[in-house]
Coordinates of all heavy atoms in Angstrom, one line a residue:
A1 N -12.1 -14.8 21.8 CA -12.0 -14.9 20.3 C -12.1 -16.4 19.9 O -11.7 -17.3 20.7 CB -10.7 -14.4 19.8
N2 N -12.7 -16.6 18.8 CA -12.8 -18.0 18.2 C -11.5 -18.3 17.5 O -10.6 -17.5 17.4 CB -14.0 -18.1 17.3 CG -14.0 -17.2 16.1 OD1 -12.9 -16.9 15.6 ND2 -15.1 -16.8 15.7
D3 N -11.3 -19.5 17.0 CA -10.1 -20.0 16.4 C -9.8 -19.1 15.1 O -8.6 -18.8 14.9 CB -10.2 -21.4 16.0 CG -10.2 -22.4 17.1 OD1 -9.8 -21.9 18.2 OD2 -10.6 -23.5 17.0
Y4 N -10.8 -18.7 14.4 CA -10.6 -17.9 13.2 C -10.0 -16.5 13.5 O -9.0 -16.1 12.9 CB -11.9 -17.8 12.4 CG -11.8 -16.8 11.2 CD1 -11.2 -17.2 10.1 CD2 -12.4 -15.6 11.3 CE1 -11.2 -16.4 9.0 CE2 -12.3 -14.7 10.2 CZ -11.7 -15.1 9.0 OH -11.6 -14.3 8.0
Q5 N -10.5 -15.9 14.6 CA -10.0 -14.6 15.0 C -8.6 -14.7 15.5 O -7.8 -13.9 15.3 CB -10.9 -14.0 16.1 CG -12.3 -13.6 15.6 CD -13.3 -13.3 16.7 OE1 -13.4 -14.1 17.7 NE2 -13.9 -12.2 16.6
Q6 N -8.4 -15.8 16.3 CA -7.0 -16.0 16.9 C -6.0 -16.2 15.8 O -4.9 -15.6 15.8 CB -7.0 -17.3 17.8 CG -7.7 -17.1 19.1 CD -6.8 -16.8 20.2 OE1 -5.6 -16.6 20.0 NE2 -7.3 -16.6 21.4
A7 N -6.3 -17.0 14.8 CA -5.4 -17.2 13.7 C -5.1 -16.0 12.9 O -4.0 -15.9 12.3 CB -6.0 -18.3 12.7
N8 N -6.0 -15.0 12.8 CA -5.8 -13.8 12.1 C -5.2 -12.7 12.9 O -5.1 -11.6 12.5 CB -7.1 -13.4 11.4 CG -7.3 -14.1 10.1 OD1 -6.6 -13.9 9.2 ND2 -8.2 -15.0 10.2
N9 N -4.8 -13.0 14.1 CA -4.2 -12.0 15.0 C -2.8 -12.5 15.5 O -2.5 -12.4 16.7 CB -5.1 -11.7 16.2 CG -4.7 -10.5 17.0 OD1 -4.1 -9.6 16.5 ND2 -5.0 -10.5 18.3
K10 N -2.1 -13.1 14.6 CA -0.7 -13.5 14.9 C 0.3 -12.7 14.3 O 0.1 -12.1 13.2 CB -0.5 -15.0 14.4 CG -1.5 -16.0 15.0 CD -1.3 -17.4 14.6 CE -0.6 -17.7 13.3 NZ -0.5 -19.0 12.9
R11 N 1.5 -12.6 14.9 CA 2.6 -11.7 14.4 C 3.1 -12.2 13.0 O 3.6 -11.4 12.2 CB 3.7 -11.7 15.4 CG 3.5 -10.9 16.6 CD 4.8 -10.8 17.4 NE 4.5 -10.1 18.6 CZ 4.3 -10.8 19.8 NH1 4.3 -12.1 19.8 NH2 4.0 -10.1 20.9
N12 N 3.0 -13.5 12.7 CA 3.6 -14.0 11.5 C 2.6 -13.9 10.3 O 3.0 -14.4 9.2 CB 4.2 -15.4 11.7 CG 3.1 -16.4 12.0 OD1 2.0 -16.1 12.3 ND2 3.4 -17.7 11.8
N13 N 1.5 -13.4 10.5 CA 0.6 -13.2 9.3 C 1.1 -12.2 8.4 O 1.7 -11.2 8.8 CB -0.8 -12.8 9.8 CG -1.7 -13.9 10.3 OD1 -1.5 -15.0 9.8 ND2 -2.6 -13.6 11.2
K14 N 0.9 -12.4 7.1 CA 1.2 -11.5 6.1 C 0.0 -10.5 5.9 O -1.1 -11.0 5.8 CB 1.5 -12.1 4.7 CG 2.6 -13.1 4.7 CD 3.9 -12.3 4.6 CE 5.1 -13.3 4.4 NZ 6.3 -12.7 4.4
I15 N 0.3 -9.2 6.0 CA -0.8 -8.2 5.9 C -0.6 -7.5 4.5 O 0.5 -7.2 4.1 CB -0.6 -7.2 7.0 CG1 -0.6 -7.9 8.4 CG2 -1.7 -6.1 6.9 CD1 -1.8 -8.5 8.8
Y16 N -1.8 -7.4 3.8 CA -1.8 -6.7 2.5 C -2.8 -5.6 2.5 O -3.8 -5.7 3.1 CB -2.2 -7.8 1.4 CG -1.2 -8.9 1.3 CD1 -1.3 -10.1 2.0 CD2 0.0 -8.8 0.5 CE1 -0.4 -11.1 1.9 CE2 0.9 -9.8 0.5 CZ 0.7 -10.9 1.2 OH 1.6 -12.0 1.1
T17 N -2.4 -4.5 1.8 CA -3.3 -3.4 1.6 C -3.7 -3.4 0.1 O -2.9 -3.5 -0.8 CB -2.6 -2.1 1.9 OG1 -2.2 -2.1 3.3 CG2 -3.5 -0.9 1.7
Y18 N -5.0 -3.3 -0.1 CA -5.6 -3.4 -1.4 C -6.8 -2.5 -1.4 O -7.7 -2.6 -0.5 CB -6.0 -4.8 -1.7 CG -6.6 -5.1 -3.0 CD1 -6.0 -4.8 -4.2 CD2 -7.9 -5.6 -3.1 CE1 -6.7 -5.0 -5.4 CE2 -8.5 -5.9 -4.3 CZ -7.9 -5.6 -5.5 OH -8.5 -5.9 -6.7
K19 N -6.9 -1.6 -2.3 CA -8.0 -0.6 -2.4 C -8.2 0.1 -1.1 O -9.4 0.3 -0.7 CB -9.3 -1.3 -2.9 CG -9.2 -1.9 -4.3 CD -10.5 -2.5 -4.8 CE -10.3 -2.9 -6.3 NZ -11.5 -3.4 -6.8
G20 N -7.1 0.5 -0.5 CA -7.2 1.3 0.8 C -7.6 0.5 2.0 O -7.7 1.1 3.1
K21 N -7.6 -0.8 2.0 CA -8.0 -1.6 3.1 C -6.9 -2.5 3.4 O -6.3 -3.1 2.5 CB -9.3 -2.4 2.8 CG -10.0 -3.0 3.9 CD -11.3 -3.5 3.4 CE -12.1 -4.3 4.5 NZ -13.3 -4.8 4.0
T22 N -6.5 -2.7 4.7 CA -5.4 -3.6 5.1 C -6.0 -4.7 6.0 O -6.7 -4.5 6.9 CB -4.4 -2.8 5.9 OG1 -3.9 -1.7 5.1 CG2 -3.2 -3.6 6.3
Q23 N -5.6 -6.0 5.6 CA -6.0 -7.2 6.3 C -5.1 -8.4 5.9 O -4.3 -8.3 5.0 CB -7.5 -7.4 6.1 CG -8.0 -7.4 4.7 CD -9.5 -7.4 4.7 OE1 -10.2 -6.9 5.6 NE2 -10.1 -7.8 3.6
T24 N -5.3 -9.5 6.6 CA -4.6 -10.7 6.3 C -5.0 -11.3 5.0 O -6.1 -11.1 4.5 CB -4.7 -11.7 7.5 OG1 -6.0 -12.2 7.5 CG2 -4.3 -11.1 8.8
L25 N -4.1 -12.2 4.5 CA -4.4 -12.9 3.3 C -5.7 -13.8 3.4 O -6.5 -13.8 2.6 CB -3.2 -13.8 2.9 CG -3.4 -14.6 1.6 CD1 -3.7 -13.7 0.4 CD2 -2.2 -15.4 1.3
T26 N -5.8 -14.4 4.6 CA -7.0 -15.2 4.8 C -8.3 -14.4 4.7 O -9.3 -14.9 4.1 CB -6.9 -15.9 6.2 OG1 -5.7 -16.7 6.2 CG2 -8.1 -16.8 6.5
I27 N -8.3 -13.3 5.3 CA -9.5 -12.4 5.3 C -9.8 -11.9 3.9 O -10.9 -11.9 3.4 CB -9.4 -11.3 6.3 CG1 -9.4 -11.8 7.7 CG2 -10.5 -10.3 6.1 CD1 -9.2 -10.8 8.8
W28 N -8.7 -11.5 3.2 CA -8.9 -11.1 1.8 C -9.5 -12.2 1.0 O -10.4 -12.0 0.2 CB -7.6 -10.7 1.2 CG -7.2 -9.3 1.4 CD1 -6.1 -8.8 2.1 CD2 -7.9 -8.1 1.1 NE1 -6.1 -7.5 2.2 CE2 -7.2 -7.0 1.6 CE3 -9.1 -7.9 0.5 CZ2 -7.7 -5.7 1.4 CZ3 -9.6 -6.6 0.3 CH2 -8.8 -5.5 0.8
C29 N -9.0 -13.5 1.1 CA -9.5 -14.6 0.3 C -11.0 -14.9 0.6 O -11.7 -15.1 -0.3 CB -8.6 -15.8 0.5 SG -7.0 -15.7 -0.3
R30 N -11.3 -14.8 1.9 CA -12.7 -15.0 2.2 C -13.6 -13.9 1.7 O -14.7 -14.1 1.1 CB -12.9 -15.0 3.7 CG -12.6 -16.4 4.3 CD -13.0 -16.4 5.8 NE -12.8 -17.7 6.3 CZ -13.3 -18.2 7.4 NH1 -14.2 -17.4 8.1 NH2 -13.1 -19.4 7.8
E31 N -13.1 -12.6 1.8 CA -13.9 -11.5 1.4 C -14.1 -11.5 -0.1 O -15.1 -11.1 -0.6 CB -13.2 -10.2 1.8 CG -14.0 -9.0 1.5 CD -13.4 -7.7 2.2 OE1 -13.2 -7.7 3.4 OE2 -13.0 -6.8 1.4
L32 N -13.1 -11.9 -0.9 CA -13.1 -11.9 -2.3 C -13.5 -13.2 -2.9 O -13.6 -13.3 -4.2 CB -11.7 -11.4 -2.9 CG -11.2 -10.0 -2.5 CD1 -9.8 -9.8 -2.9 CD2 -12.2 -9.0 -3.0
N33 N -13.8 -14.2 -2.1 CA -14.2 -15.5 -2.5 C -13.2 -16.1 -3.4 O -13.5 -16.6 -4.5 CB -15.6 -15.5 -3.1 CG -16.2 -16.8 -3.2 OD1 -16.0 -17.7 -2.4 ND2 -17.1 -17.0 -4.2
L34 N -12.0 -16.1 -3.0 CA -10.9 -16.7 -3.7 C -10.2 -17.8 -3.0 O -10.1 -17.8 -1.7 CB -9.8 -15.6 -4.0 CG -10.2 -14.5 -4.9 CD1 -9.2 -13.3 -4.9 CD2 -10.5 -14.9 -6.3
P35 N -9.7 -18.8 -3.6 CA -9.0 -19.9 -2.9 C -7.7 -19.5 -2.4 O -6.8 -19.0 -3.1 CB -8.8 -21.0 -4.0 CG -9.0 -20.3 -5.3 CD -9.8 -19.1 -5.1
Y36 N -7.5 -19.7 -1.1 CA -6.3 -19.2 -0.4 C -5.1 -19.8 -1.0 O -4.1 -19.1 -1.3 CB -6.4 -19.6 1.1 CG -5.2 -19.3 1.9 CD1 -5.1 -18.1 2.5 CD2 -4.1 -20.2 2.0 CE1 -3.9 -17.7 3.3 CE2 -2.9 -19.8 2.7 CZ -2.9 -18.6 3.3 OH -1.7 -18.3 4.0
S37 N -5.1 -21.1 -1.4 CA -3.9 -21.8 -1.9 C -3.5 -21.2 -3.2 O -2.3 -21.0 -3.5 CB -4.1 -23.3 -2.0 OG -5.2 -23.5 -2.9
T38 N -4.4 -20.8 -4.1 CA -4.1 -20.2 -5.3 C -3.4 -18.8 -5.2 O -2.4 -18.5 -5.8 CB -5.3 -20.0 -6.2 OG1 -5.9 -21.3 -6.4 CG2 -5.0 -19.4 -7.5

């Protein structure tokens, strides 16, 4: 895995379900083109 994959596969990640899909906040922000910090 690359660094991005490793970072999204940690126990301390917050996982969110939205519209029937579950993933980390980082992945949601990338997918929805939203600033992570906001």
Side-chain angles (χ1 to χ4, degrees):
N2 61 32
D3 291 343
Y4 175 76
Q5 291 168 311
Q6 288 263 1
N8 278 289
N9 190 30
K10 298 183 336 184
R11 285 187 189 97
N12 65 343
N13 277 332
K14 298 280 188 185
I15 306 294
Y16 297 94
T17 301
Y18 177 61
K19 295 186 177 182
K21 193 173 178 181
T22 302
Q23 49 195 20
T24 65
L25 182 58
T26 300
I27 293 174
W28 276 120
C29 289
R30 280 190 175 199
E31 186 172 300
L32 300 172
N33 196 31
L34 296 169
Y36 178 91
S37 59
T38 300

